[in-house]
């Protein structure tokens, strides 16, 4: 396994940043309990508080609004689990929103409403009447296509209607600016490992005054909202990654240029390839490339054998490639939905990485078409 690998699957997880690793390692030696009043405890508390400031800065929220969780799956589930009467979401949402939305609604006797999605991936939120008791879940950026939603407009609409908005912003930090203060969302979820932090830590940003019942009560940590002794080392890594991700925004045009080059070269080699969401506002780092007639699973395996890590749709826990519920929800033809691979790049991606992908694409797809 010494062969050079090209990692183009940042939306699944980003490589651990050196500064995040250093922060984790340093914090592991700070053994105090952040809830203890003595000096050892206060040292650990300072690490958690510093990280909280960094995450707040990343999304322009108040530090007091940031609640650490075990990741975005927990944050999404928590936001959805308040006693809503209706939960509205689109089929393009991540499974950690879709699943709980349906299950929580069923368990509570509430109604789960599926929102319509246009072919370019834009979610339509038809609101009228009284929105009291309604939660609208709307992602900021899609993990498979990179398509952006107009969350701020949806947030204004939701507020005017008396509804609340939850935003899964997991794929956005470091790629587009996030302004929680003007977003109109009551809650927003983040995950450290998508921005080069460690896995198993994330946050739910809860707007001040938003009446969200605590997730766990227990020992009352996180201002009595999410009890349990804080994962200090992971939180420290999350904080360091958040500081670095904020600086990444300057590199977004470089990512978009690499992404555009990759897409142009793919179209050159295989003119029949379809770039999903090409005309929609998108993240600068994500390409969903469909080759009608090909199998996404086969493409991913062939790419892997060629030393290139990409994915088909979302990585699911079984490691197998399932049908893309996102592309299905966009109403794309089955030959597109079943042949799309996702290429997602990040700050460490170079022109050589793009060239390696295009060369492999040429070998794999160019050859199979000529055959
Ligand atoms: N939402 C989106 C859009 C995601 O891409 C992911 C990760 N695949 C999650 C939520 C879940 O995040 P975590 O891995 O922190 O539970």
């Amino acid at each position: 396994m010494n062969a050079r690998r090209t990692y183009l699957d940042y939306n699944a997880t980003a490589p651990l940043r050196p500064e995040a690793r250093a922060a984790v390692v340093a914090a592991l030696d700070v053994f105090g309990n952040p809830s203890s009043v003595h000096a050892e405890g206060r040292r650990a508390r300072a690490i958690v508080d510093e990280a909280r400031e960094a995450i707040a800065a990343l999304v322009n929220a108040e530090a007091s609004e940031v609640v650490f969780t075990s990741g975005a799956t927990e944050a999404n589930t928590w936001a959805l689990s308040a006693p809503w009467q209706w939960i509205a979401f689109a089929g393009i949402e991540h499974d950690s929103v879709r699943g709980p939305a349906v299950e929580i609604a069923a368990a509570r006797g509430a109604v789960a409403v599926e929102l319509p999605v246009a072919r370019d991936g834009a979610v339509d939120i038809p609101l009228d009447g009284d929105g009291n008791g309604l939660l609208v879940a709307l992602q900021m950026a899609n993990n498979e296509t990179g398509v952006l939603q107009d969350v701020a407009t949806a947030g204004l609409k939701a507020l005017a209607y008396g509804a609340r908005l939850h935003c899964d912003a997991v794929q956005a930090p470091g790629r587009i600016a996030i302004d929680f203060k003007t977003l109109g969302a009551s809650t927003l979820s983040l995950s450290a490992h998508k921005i080069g932090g460690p896995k198993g830590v994330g946050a739910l940003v809860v707007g001040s005054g938003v009446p969200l019942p605590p997730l766990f009560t227990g020992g009352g940590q996180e201002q009595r909202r999410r009890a349990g002794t804080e994962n200090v080392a992971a939180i420290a890594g999350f904080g360091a990654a958040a500081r670095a991700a904020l600086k990444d925004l300057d590199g977004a045009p470089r990512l978009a240029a690499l992404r555009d080059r990759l897409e142009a070269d793919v179209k050159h080699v295989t003119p029949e390839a379809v770039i999903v969401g090409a005309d929609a506002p998108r993240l600068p780092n994500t390409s969903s490339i469909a080759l009608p007639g090909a199998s996404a699973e086969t493409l991913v395996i062939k790419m892997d054998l060629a030393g290139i890590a990409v994915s088909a749709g979302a990585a699911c826990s079984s490691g197998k490639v399932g049908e893309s519920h996102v592309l299905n929800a966009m109403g794309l033809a089955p030959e597109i939905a079943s042949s799309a691979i996702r290429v997602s790049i990040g700050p460490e991606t170079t022109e050589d990485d793009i060239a390696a992908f295009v060369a492999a694409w040429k070998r794999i797809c160019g050859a199979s078409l000529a055959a």
Side-chain angles (χ1 to χ4, degrees):
M1 278 293 283
N2 286 334
R4 183 177 179 273
R5 299 278 306 168
T6 301
Y7 187 76
L8 302 176
D9 202 11
Y10 276 71
N11 289 12
T13 199
L16 188 67
R17 295 177 194 258
E19 50 273 67
R21 184 178 195 283
V24 170
V25 171
L28 283 171
D29 283 328
V30 180
F31 65 88
N33 184 322
S35 296
S36 298
V37 294
H38 45 59
E40 287 80 358
R42 291 198 310 276
R43 279 188 69 204
R45 164 68 45 211
I47 291 174
V48 173
D49 285 347
E50 215 178 281
R52 202 186 304 284
E53 295 280 352
I55 281 107
L58 181 65
V59 299
N60 196 28
E62 297 298 323
S64 59
E65 295 174 318
V66 176
V67 185
F68 289 112
T69 64
S70 69
T73 297
E74 179 182 313
N76 283 336
T77 306
W78 181 20
L80 292 166
S81 65
W84 310 111
Q85 285 164 275
W86 296 274
I87 303 176
F89 65 101
I92 57 161
E93 291 291 325
H94 190 262
D95 278 342
S96 61
V97 168
R98 292 193 317 147
V102 172
E103 286 155 25
I104 291 168
R108 295 261 174 77
V111 183
V113 183
E114 198 160 330
L115 296 168
V117 183
R119 282 184 98 73
D120 66 357
V123 175
D124 187 23
I125 307 180
L127 296 178
D128 64 53
D130 180 6
N132 203 16
L134 166 69
L135 178 75
V136 178
L138 184 65
Q139 63 187 198
M140 191 166 284
N142 187 267
N143 48 303
E144 290 186 29
T145 63
V147 169
L148 304 177
Q149 299 299 328
D150 186 354
V151 180
T153 301
L156 281 178
K157 220 167 155 184
L159 287 178
Y161 179 65
R164 296 221 177 243
L165 189 84
H166 168 65
C167 179
D168 174 343
V170 164
Q171 295 290 349
R175 299 169 183 166
I176 55 168
I178 304 175
D179 186 357
F180 185 68
K181 288 197 198 311
T182 59
L183 204 55
S186 296
T187 47
L188 175 139
S189 48
L190 297 169
S191 176
H193 73 99
K194 307 288 186 179
I195 58 169
K199 295 169 183 63
V201 63
L204 185 68
V205 182
V206 184
S208 58
V210 169
L212 183 67
L215 180 61
F216 309 133
T217 47
Q221 286 90 348
E222 295 293 282
Q223 293 179 43
R224 317 199 77 77
R225 293 176 293 192
R226 198 269 190 186
T229 302
E230 295 88 342
N231 187 347
V232 178
I235 288 170
F238 187 11
R243 274 188 288 275
L246 197 51
K247 292 192 200 131
D248 279 352
L249 284 175
D250 298 339
R254 187 190 79 92
L255 287 189
L258 288 176
R259 188 259 334 254
D260 290 348
R261 164 102 52 82
L262 181 143
E263 292 181 354
D265 287 354
V266 161
K267 290 288 278 184
H268 182 72
V269 176
T270 46
E272 68 278 35
V274 176
I275 310 297
V276 177
D279 298 327
R282 278 191 293 161
L283 289 175
N285 81 313
T286 309
S287 270
S288 173
I289 306 168
L291 190 64
S295 143
E297 183 161 21
T298 308
L299 286 178
V300 168
I301 293 168
K302 285 186 175 172
M303 282 287 171
D304 188 36
L305 291 172
I308 295 174
V310 294
S311 70
C316 59
S317 54
S318 62
K320 70 180 184 12
V321 175
E323 202 171 89
S324 165
H325 73 263
V326 171
L327 304 187
N328 283 343
M330 288 168 72
L332 299 180
E335 65 269 24
I336 305 263
S338 62
S339 72
I341 63 165
R342 173 184 72 187
V343 181
S344 50
I345 61 177
E348 292 89 357
T349 306
T350 62
E351 293 191 5
D352 286 352
D353 293 329
I354 302 298
F357 174 87
V358 173
W361 180 268
K362 209 174 202 165
R363 280 199 307 278
I364 294 165
C365 305
S368 75
L369 292 173

